[in-house]
Amino acid sequence: VPGAIKSPRGVLEFQVDSHPAVGSATDPALAHRERPLVVYCRTGGRAALAADNLQKLGFADVRSIAGGIEAWAAAGLPVVVR
Protein backbone atom coordinates (compact mmCIF):
# COMPACT_ATOMS: atom_id res chain seq x y z
CA VAL A 1 0.00 0.00 0.00
CA PRO A 2 1.48 3.38 -0.92
CA GLY A 3 2.93 5.12 2.14
CA ALA A 4 3.00 1.93 4.23
CA ILE A 5 5.56 1.45 6.99
CA LYS A 6 6.92 -2.09 7.32
CA SER A 7 6.93 -3.72 10.74
CA PRO A 8 7.11 -7.51 11.06
CA ARG A 9 4.16 -8.97 12.99
CA GLY A 10 6.39 -11.02 15.26
CA VAL A 11 8.05 -7.96 16.75
CA LEU A 12 5.36 -5.30 16.32
CA GLU A 13 4.62 -4.86 20.02
CA PHE A 14 8.33 -4.56 20.83
CA GLN A 15 9.13 -2.15 18.00
CA VAL A 16 6.10 0.13 17.80
CA ASP A 17 7.38 2.62 20.36
CA SER A 18 10.98 2.50 19.17
CA HIS A 19 10.16 2.69 15.45
CA PRO A 20 11.31 6.04 14.02
CA ALA A 21 7.83 6.63 12.63
CA VAL A 22 6.26 6.47 16.08
CA GLY A 23 8.79 8.99 17.33
CA SER A 24 7.69 11.20 14.43
CA ALA A 25 11.13 11.02 12.79
CA THR A 26 9.78 9.74 9.47
CA ASP A 27 6.00 9.62 9.68
CA PRO A 28 4.12 11.99 11.97
CA ALA A 29 0.91 9.96 11.47
CA LEU A 30 2.12 7.31 13.91
CA ALA A 31 3.28 9.83 16.50
CA HIS A 32 -0.32 10.58 17.44
CA ARG A 33 -2.07 7.55 18.84
CA GLU A 34 -5.51 9.04 18.25
CA ARG A 35 -5.04 9.24 14.47
CA PRO A 36 -6.36 6.44 12.24
CA LEU A 37 -3.99 3.55 11.60
CA VAL A 38 -4.56 0.78 9.05
CA VAL A 39 -2.58 -2.47 9.20
CA TYR A 40 -2.42 -5.24 6.64
CA CYS A 41 -0.69 -8.48 5.81
CA ARG A 42 -0.96 -10.91 2.91
CA THR A 43 -4.39 -12.40 3.74
CA GLY A 44 -5.65 -10.43 6.76
CA GLY A 45 -5.21 -12.79 9.71
CA ARG A 46 -1.98 -11.41 11.16
CA ALA A 47 -3.20 -7.86 10.58
CA ALA A 48 -6.36 -8.52 12.61
CA LEU A 49 -4.20 -9.73 15.52
CA ALA A 50 -1.87 -6.76 15.12
CA ALA A 51 -4.79 -4.31 15.12
CA ASP A 52 -6.13 -5.82 18.33
CA ASN A 53 -2.75 -5.55 20.04
CA LEU A 54 -2.16 -1.99 18.82
CA GLN A 55 -5.49 -0.99 20.34
CA LYS A 56 -4.36 -2.57 23.62
CA LEU A 57 -1.16 -0.48 23.36
CA GLY A 58 -3.20 2.72 23.21
CA PHE A 59 -3.77 3.36 19.50
CA ALA A 60 -7.35 4.66 19.41
CA ASP A 61 -8.41 4.07 15.79
CA VAL A 62 -6.81 0.92 14.38
CA ARG A 63 -8.27 -1.10 11.53
CA SER A 64 -7.09 -4.02 9.45
CA ILE A 65 -7.77 -4.68 5.78
CA ALA A 66 -10.10 -7.67 5.47
CA GLY A 67 -8.56 -10.14 3.05
CA GLY A 68 -5.16 -8.44 3.29
CA ILE A 69 -3.07 -7.11 0.45
CA GLU A 70 -4.36 -9.90 -1.78
CA ALA A 71 -7.92 -8.52 -1.53
CA TRP A 72 -6.63 -4.96 -1.84
CA ALA A 73 -4.81 -5.76 -5.09
CA ALA A 74 -7.72 -7.85 -6.41
CA ALA A 75 -9.96 -4.80 -5.92
CA GLY A 76 -7.66 -2.85 -8.22
CA LEU A 77 -6.36 -0.58 -5.46
CA PRO A 78 -2.79 0.78 -5.74
CA VAL A 79 0.13 -1.45 -4.77
CA VAL A 80 3.77 -0.38 -4.52
CA VAL A 81 6.45 -3.07 -4.82
CA ARG A 82 9.64 -2.33 -2.92
Side-chain angles (χ1 to χ4, degrees):
V1 175
I5 298 166
K6 183 178 180 179
S7 184
R9 171 64 193 102
V11 296
L12 178 65
E13 291 84 353
F14 301 108
Q15 289 185 346
V16 70
D17 285 321
S18 64
H19 193 287
V22 177
S24 191
T26 59
D27 188 344
L30 289 181
H32 304 284
R33 291 178 183 242
E34 68 277 358
R35 296 179 79 179
L37 179 64
V38 177
V39 294
Y40 69 93
C41 63
R42 187 172 57 85
T43 60
R46 288 169 294 167
L49 294 172
D52 183 57
N53 283 338
L54 287 167
Q55 287 176 337
K56 291 175 183 172
L57 289 170
F59 287 86
D61 187 7
V62 184
R63 300 165 192 223
S64 62
I65 296 175
I69 193 69
E70 288 181 350
W72 178 274
L77 297 165
V79 175
V80 175
V81 179
R82 295 181 194 159

